[in-house]
Amino acid sequence: MNTKLDLKNISLKEKVKKLKNTFKESALHTENQRKVPSENMQLLFEIGYFDAVKPKRYGGDELSFFELVDANIELAASCASTAWVAGLLSAHQWLLAMFPKQAQDDVWLENSQALICGSYAPVTHATETSDTYILNGKWSFASGCDHAQWSLCAAFVPEGEGFTPAFLLVPATQYEIEDTWNVIGLAGTGSKTLVLKNVEIPKHRILKFKDAVSGQTPGSQQYSGGVFKIPLLMGVPSCLASVGVGAAQGALESYLDTVSARVTRGAVAGHNNKMAEFPTIQLRVAEAVSSIDAAREILLRDVIKAESLAASKKILSIDDRLISRRGQGFSVLLALRAVEALNASTGGLGLNLDNPVQRAWRDTNAVARHISMNWDAVGTMIGQQMLGLEPKGQF
C-alpha cells in the first residue's frame, strides 16, 4: 500500500480513518501476540503519526496536541492497544523536546525516526559521578518497548541535600527487555519490563519532573510553538485517556453492527425477537452514545484550552493543571460507563475472547486503572482542591 501517495494533504485523523479496517482486522492478532505488529507500526510511520508533535527542526510536523489526541481516539476505535502505543510513542517525541538540546541531538541526529518508550515510576535512586548518573534496576510497564530505540527511565537523582524525581534518557543498547506482559486488558501493548545494570547516563540526558509538570523546561525555551510549553501532565495523560474514549466508540460501532440485525434464540427471551426493539437495549445504546460524546467533548475541550494557555507564554496555575487532570480522568470514567452498558447486554456471544465489544470493555477497564486516569486518585485530588485542602497527587 502506497499510503504516502494515497493519504497526502489530509489531516492525521482522516489518514487514520482510511486505515481503520486494517487496524480493526488485526486487533485480535495484536492482542494474541501481546505487542503491536510491525506492520501496524510501519503504516503509522507512513502516515507521519510519530512526527505529529515532533519539532520541525528535527523533521516533525509540529501539529497541535489536539490533532494528535483527536486522531488517537479514532485509532483506538479500531485497536486500543495500537492506539495506546502509538499515542505514547508519538507524545514521547514531544516529551523529548522538553530535554536540553544536546539530548535531543543525541537521539534525532543519530536517527531521525527513533522512537522512545518510557517507564514513569521512579523506582530507584541514581548514583551520581562527576559527569554521569548510574542506574540499576527494573522499570515496568514500558509500553511499545519492542519498537523503541530509546527509553525514558524515571529515577530519583541527587539535588542539594536530597533527591528529586527525573526522567533519564537511555538507549536501547543499554538495557534488556524482560517479557512480563501477560494481561487481560491492553494486552497488545507489549508493556514489558526494562532491566538496567550499571548503566551510565550523561548528565545532559535528564529532565526533572518539577520542570516537566510546570511546562518550564530546558527544551521549551528553544521553540516558539505553544505545543512545547504544555505541562507534561496536561499532555501525555490526554493521549492515554483518548484510548479509553476511542475504545468505547469502537465498542458502540461494533455493538450497533451486531445488535441491529440480531434476533433472539433463547427460550427465556422468546424466539426470533429483534433485539433492537427491546427498550433495555435502546436505553443502553442511548447511555453509551451520550457518555462517549460527553467524554470526547470534555477531553478535546481541555486539550485545546491547555494549548491556548501554554501559547500565551504564561505560567500555568495549579487550577489550570487540575482542570486538565479532571477532564482526563472523567472522560475515561464516562467511557467506562459506556462500555459497561454495552458489554453487559452482549449475551453469550459476548463471552468469546474475539468479541470486539468485550475486548473494548477489557481495554477501557485497563485504561481506567492507570494512575493518571484512575478516578479514585484524580477525583479525590479535585475534591481536595474544591474543599480548600491541598491537593495531593499528580498534576
Side-chain angles (χ1 to χ4, degrees), residues 30-267:
T30 300
E31 184 169 66
N32 287 339
Q33 75 166 13
R34 299 182 297 113
K35 66 177 183 180
V36 176
S38 298
E39 295 83 357
N40 286 15
M41 297 297 290
Q42 182 58 36
L43 288 172
L44 291 166
F45 264 115
E46 290 177 5
I47 64 172
Y49 210 85
F50 304 111
D51 289 332
V53 288
K54 178 180 175 182
K56 289 181 179 179
R57 178 187 300 174
Y58 295 99
D61 294 327
E62 216 168 296
L63 302 178
S64 67
F65 220 89
F66 165 86
E67 291 174 271
L68 174 59
V69 173
D70 197 25
N72 217 53
I73 292 173
E74 194 66 38
L75 180 56
S78 297
C79 179
S81 286
T82 297
W84 182 271
V85 170
L88 260 181
L89 298 190
S90 187
H92 284 171
Q93 303 288 301
W94 165 81
L95 181 50
L96 177 57
M98 295 185 182
F99 277 74
K101 182 179 184 300
Q102 189 176 354
Q104 298 178 47
D105 288 346
D106 288 349
V107 176
W108 285 322
L109 294 187
E110 176 70 23
N111 177 4
S112 63
Q113 299 298 309
L115 297 178
I116 307 162
C117 64
S119 181
Y120 285 29
V123 295
T124 188
H125 289 72
T127 302
E128 186 177 19
T129 69
S130 59
D131 54 0
T132 67
Y133 294 105
I134 300 175
L135 287 182
N136 283 282
K138 294 186 176 184
W139 279 259
S140 303
F141 302 106
S143 302
C145 59
D146 291 300
H147 301 289
Q149 291 72 46
W150 292 77
S151 179
L152 299 159
C153 294
F156 290 100
V157 299
E159 183 179 70
E161 298 298 316
F163 291 84
T164 189
F167 292 116
L168 291 92
L169 192 57
V170 185
T173 54
Q174 292 187 293
Y175 58 75
E176 296 178 358
I177 297 175
E178 188 176 297
D179 189 354
T180 54
W181 194 244
N182 291 283
V183 296
I184 62 169
L186 295 175
T189 61
S191 303
K192 302 172 184 177
T193 298
L194 309 182
V195 182
L196 279 67
K197 298 177 181 178
N198 294 318
V199 174
E200 292 190 72
I201 297 102
K203 286 191 172 178
H204 65 269
R205 291 184 192 162
I206 183 176
L207 176 66
K208 294 178 180 178
F209 279 20
K210 61 184 179 181
D211 295 332
V213 298
S214 72
Q216 305 300 302
T217 65
S220 68
Q221 311 306 316
Q222 304 173 44
Y223 302 107
S224 58
V227 67
F228 300 114
K229 295 176 174 59
I230 299 174
L232 172 68
L233 295 178
M234 296 177 80
V236 172
S238 297
C239 276
L240 302 183
S242 71
V243 178
V245 178
Q249 176 182 307
L252 178 60
E253 293 169 1
S254 296
Y255 187 92
L256 292 174
D257 287 344
T258 302
V259 173
S260 295
R262 187 178 172 187
V263 296
T264 59
R265 296 182 296 175

Side-chain angles (χ1 to χ4, degrees), residues 29 47 63 158 162 198 216 239 244 267 278-279 290 298 304 307 325 379:
H29 173 60
I47 64 172
L63 302 178
N198 294 318
Q216 305 300 302
C239 276
F278 286 21
S290 300
I298 291 170
I304 292 171
E307 193 154 10
R325 298 289 291 113

